Amino acid sequence: MALEGSPGGAGWTWRPVARDALLARAFHSCTELQGRFYLVGGLPGGGATEPSGDTVVFDPAAGQAVQLGARGCPRRSHHDAAPVGGRWLCVVGGWDGARRLATVAALDTERGVWEAWSAAPGSRPPAGLSSHTCTRVSDRELRVAGREGGTRTQRRYGSIYTLRLDPSARTYCYKEEGCHTASRSGHCAALLPTSGHPPAHQLLLFGGCNSAEPEVAGHWGQGKIKEEPPAAPRLMEQLARLVSTGQGSGQGPRGLRHHSCSVVGPFAVLFGGETLTRARDTICNDLYVYDTRKSPSLWFHFPSADHGLKRVGHRTCLWNDQLYLVGGFGEDGRTPRPQVCVLDLFI
């Protein structure tokens, strides 16, 4: 696999560490829970309209994937998922092959059973969600951002919801926030520390529309966010060295969607996706690092010449100080990739 370089002598690549046909899918969710990656649903190939209704568990330590026999797995694609209570995997919204949903289904990983949770009294759910984002703000609270609507009608702006989850009651409750965002679909979201004093956090949305500008979908003051992202000291140091070889820009990628995004300390790492700025060769293999350590935050772009790295509808997961790439369609936008790769940085 080609090693991508920059003028400062730095390089990067995605190194394959496992391969299994069970992992070949796109527009799925991939969530780390207790050291395992849970893949739910997705599309088995380009042109497919019926999402798969299976759950695959990948053990990154062993490099092995197994299909989970739990009954009742929801058929979903273009959904999102989040861990709750160190035990439940909550799948939010998505496309079931006929309509966009806003319901919550939860996998109890201890019992190996899927549960359909019910809306609590007073819940004000969106009309339907797909290609949205769900970000953990606390163990029982998610911030949901996306364009809501059914198959025929969609709002011309993006909505922001707080979604509260109650595992003991098996219920969920949506509350629409007062602010709206640009109409986005296939964007990503990153909960990042701000560089000012006192320290705070903001939720930024990247891509999913023609704009190159990130958009704030939430702001929390000092001490409000108790979420501790996974520690990744080695990867953080490598990213700091990587960006020190590049030229920072105030402007990020324009018109990118269905890319991946993972937060590593003060950095958001974006990869791949589909660009809205070209009529052909739309699947991307670019690595972007958004650096929030100073104000204003800066973008660093590390392109690739290796067409084998092109991905759309994939996911990245941070575990054990490494960033993993799972699934997605390749260069043709139709063929699902069965590999799991890790990001290698050479500085």
Side-chain angles (χ1 to χ4, degrees), residues 38 55 68-74 87-90 105-117 170:
Y38 286 82
T55 310
L68 200 64
R71 288 206 311 245
C73 177
R87 172 176 171 177
W88 286 274
L89 176 70
C90 288
L107 173 66
D108 183 341
T109 60
E110 286 186 7
R111 293 168 52 229
V113 175
W114 278 97
E115 305 167 339
W117 288 11
R170 309 295 200 264

Side-chain angles (χ1 to χ4, degrees), residues 98-239:
R99 60 203 171 109
R100 295 185 183 95
L101 304 169
T103 51
V104 175
L107 173 66
D108 183 341
T109 60
E110 286 186 7
R111 293 168 52 229
V113 175
W114 278 97
E115 305 167 339
W117 288 11
S118 52
S123 180
R124 298 279 181 270
L129 292 165
S130 66
S131 300
H132 55 290
T133 54
C134 293
T135 308
R136 272 172 59 108
V137 175
S138 73
D139 190 40
R140 303 291 167 89
E141 189 174 303
L142 308 179
R143 183 59 65 100
V144 180
R147 188 174 61 206
E148 65 165 297
T151 47
R152 289 196 173 85
T153 58
Q154 285 206 310
R155 291 182 177 177
R156 293 184 181 171
Y157 54 83
S159 301
I160 301 171
Y161 285 84
T162 293
L163 177 58
R164 291 194 171 83
L165 302 160
D166 186 346
S168 59
R170 309 295 200 264
T171 60
Y172 61 91
C173 186
Y174 281 98
K175 173 177 159 278
E176 187 168 7
E177 297 297 319
C179 48
H180 291 141
T181 68
S183 180
R184 294 176 187 265
S185 180
H187 55 285
C188 67
L191 184 63
L192 288 160
T194 60
S195 57
H197 292 285
H201 284 82
Q202 56 184 8
L203 180 65
L204 294 178
L205 307 182
F206 302 109
C209 63
N210 282 318
S211 170
E213 295 300 313
E215 196 168 6
V216 177
H219 190 278
W220 293 267
Q222 184 177 13
K224 295 290 187 191
I225 296 290
K226 302 290 194 287
E227 280 297 279
E228 285 296 321
R234 189 182 64 91
L235 184 57
M236 232 164 76
E237 182 191 344
Q238 288 180 324
L239 287 168

